[in-house]
Amino acid sequence: MSRRIAAAAGPLLVAALAALAAPGAAQDLAIVGGTVHPVSGPPIENATVLVQNGRIVAVGADVSVPAGAARIDAAGRVVTPGLFDPASSVGLVEVDLVSQTRDESATTADDPIAAAFDPLDGLNPNSVLVPYLRTYGLTTTATRPTGGLISGMGAVIDLAGHRAADMVARPRAAMFASFDEGTFRQVGGARGATALRLREVLDDARFWQRNRGAFDRGESRDLAASRLDLEALQPVLDGRMPLVVEADRASDILAVLRIASEFGVRPVILGGAEAWVVAGELAAGGVPVIVKPLTSLPSAFERLGARFDNAALLAAAGVPVAIGVLDTHRSHAITQEAGNAVRHGLPWDAALRAITLTPAEIYGVADRYGSIEPGKVANLVVWSGDPLELSTRAETVVIRGEVMPMTSRPHELFDRYRSLDDTPRPAFDVD
């Protein structure tokens, strides 16, 4: 372990890492004495979370800690599930203005359909964003493609692992699409034209499924997308894969709901700046909405009705609400977004759920992620206080039962340049 990393990590983490590194202690970990917020139930005071082989095996106030287990003292602290960002492009985007570092889009101006695009082949486990976001309590994200009308398939990943395959919790977890002003310009300029194109692609995907033999023999009509794209849309049409559609204007959201109903698709609304206007329709259909609570200014015509209490109004109407930042390089601010949702009326428990369990439910991994329960993946965070307060910091982050180093390139740079005297700056430690 680097001396610089050890110094930055703090005594609590260093002790835990040392214990985990000891022979025979790597499999068992106990977080002891904290106030545990399981999300799936009420808080538990002075509780212990016991982890074995990367899974939670027990949680409660009367859990026995096996001899030799590594202990993390969480007395006076708060323990939550690892945070789950429901929409980012972590591992796919490094520098926004450098195209060579961007692997999140496969659509073009001439072809806005890329349903078969699976960006996991371009996922970079060594992205500098991965360790940086971990230090803010993020352990899991739905990393997604962007661009075009149908962008491609997103995956659920954990922010740990030396290879891309090690990070993946669920590949092809959702299909992502856009029904916003940028898409309208690309597809045909009008909302109706975009809706027409989306209906055409879904209808052709259904036609292709029913007429594969004729298509393979060259005996079918021309179709609106490639064979690979039409095949990739089959799980969407049969309801096994949600269709996450970026839409903000209330009328656009209703258009998406109509199209989803026509084709039997399970929609999820992403953005939803005006979703509160149509909360009744969303609740009636059980349609989740991934919102950014700090969207309030009319930054575009499709967001004229944006308001700070969007999440609160949706939750009050019975809409499943998840919270995201919707900006990969600012994903660390997810607790700030959730805290502001609480400031504007969303119950605290609902806000924590919106950044843990609800995203897991949306992407079909709630049997393994999103709450502190026996059998679930041990993604856990020990906080210095209320995790939705700006002054609170993540003190210990556990992913798949392993305590993570609490450092990153920005932390290294801060340490290197925190003193502005004339002392020469040493190279980073790499041992």
Side-chain angles (χ1 to χ4, degrees):
M1 181 178 177
S2 163
R3 292 185 301 275
R4 184 180 297 273
I5 290 175
L12 179 65
L13 178 57
V14 172
L17 284 172
L20 286 172
Q27 292 184 345
D28 294 353
L29 171 67
I31 300 175
V32 180
T35 299
V36 174
H37 290 265
V39 177
S40 56
I44 309 171
E45 300 288 343
N46 194 26
T48 295
V49 181
L50 182 61
V51 175
Q52 294 178 337
N53 298 318
R55 296 273 180 163
I56 299 166
V57 296
V59 55
D62 56 355
V63 174
S64 297
V65 179
R71 287 174 176 257
I72 294 177
D73 182 4
R77 294 168 173 82
V78 174
V79 183
T80 71
L83 305 187
F84 192 141
D85 187 338
S88 77
S89 296
V90 174
L92 303 176
V93 177
E94 200 71 16
V95 182
D96 283 343
L97 296 180
V98 179
S99 61
Q100 296 93 328
T101 71
R102 303 192 62 164
D103 293 295
E104 84 282 20
S105 180
T107 60
T108 66
D110 296 327
D111 186 4
I113 308 298
F117 176 49
D118 185 346
L120 282 182
D121 287 331
L123 185 68
N124 177 19
N126 298 314
S127 167
V128 297
L129 280 173
V130 170
Y132 178 66
L133 296 179
R134 282 199 308 248
T135 65
Y136 286 87
L138 277 160
T139 63
T140 309
T141 184
T143 193
R144 64 175 178 127
T146 62
L149 176 57
I150 300 180
S151 308
M153 294 173 283
V156 175
I157 64 170
D158 282 327
L159 299 184
H162 299 294
R163 301 178 303 167
D166 298 334
M167 302 175 72
V168 178
R170 183 175 184 180
R172 302 184 175 189
M175 186 71 67
F176 285 83
S178 295
F179 202 89
D180 60 10
E181 292 178 356
T183 307
F184 305 150
R185 290 192 295 271
Q186 182 179 359
V187 173
R191 286 171 162 79
T194 304
L196 177 64
R197 185 68 191 277
L198 181 57
R199 283 189 171 94
E200 179 187 33
V201 173
L202 293 174
D203 186 63
D204 279 1
R206 190 163 55 187
F207 174 88
W208 178 84
Q209 173 63 22
R210 296 170 179 172
N211 297 276
R212 284 191 179 190
F215 178 88
D216 291 341
R217 295 190 299 271
E219 297 174 355
S220 72
R221 58 178 172 81
D222 290 339
L223 300 178
S226 72
R227 173 185 61 82
L228 292 176
D229 290 331
L230 298 172
E231 185 172 10
L233 286 167
Q234 298 310 308
V236 175
L237 290 172
D238 64 21
R240 289 182 288 122
M241 178 187 288
L243 180 65
V244 182
V245 184
E246 191 163 2
D248 280 310
R249 200 168 87 169
S251 59
D252 295 339
I253 294 170
L254 291 179
V256 171
L257 297 186
R258 287 194 298 271
I259 295 170
S261 178
E262 291 170 19
F263 290 92
V265 169
R266 290 195 294 124
V268 176
I269 300 301
L270 175 61
E274 295 186 352
W276 64 273
V277 178
V278 293
E281 289 86 343
L282 290 163
V287 178
V289 180
I290 301 170
V291 301
K292 174 180 168 58
L294 285 175
T295 300
S296 66
L297 296 177
S299 56
F301 281 104
E302 61 187 351
R303 301 188 192 100
L304 290 177
R307 51 192 289 176
F308 280 132
D309 57 354
N310 189 15
L313 294 173
L314 289 169
V319 178
V321 174
I323 288 174
V325 184
L326 312 190
D327 181 343
T328 299
H329 289 88
R330 294 197 69 255
S331 290
H332 63 278
I334 193 168
T335 53
Q336 180 181 2
E337 294 282 351
N340 275 276
V342 174
R343 165 66 180 82
H344 292 280
L346 185 68
W348 192 95
D349 290 343
L352 181 61
R353 194 183 204 283
I355 54 178
T356 53
L357 187 55
T358 300
E361 291 171 343
I362 289 173
Y363 295 109
V365 294
D367 60 327
R368 294 179 288 146
Y369 289 87
S371 60
I372 302 178
E373 299 178 81
K376 291 201 171 184
V377 175
N379 285 5
L380 303 159
V381 184
V382 179
W383 303 89
S384 62
D386 182 341
L388 305 188
E389 289 285 347
L390 280 178
S391 60
T392 297
R393 68 185 186 280
E395 293 187 340
T396 305
V397 174
V398 177
I399 299 182
R400 298 180 180 177
E402 181 181 353
V403 179
M404 296 287 106
M406 297 293 282
T407 191
S408 67
R409 185 170 182 270
H411 290 91
E412 295 273 8
L413 289 171
F414 176 80
D415 287 345
R416 189 181 191 191
Y417 294 108
R418 67 191 306 172
S419 174
L420 298 180
D421 58 28
D422 295 329
T423 304
R425 306 299 169 208
F428 295 138
D429 290 340
V430 295
D431 58 323

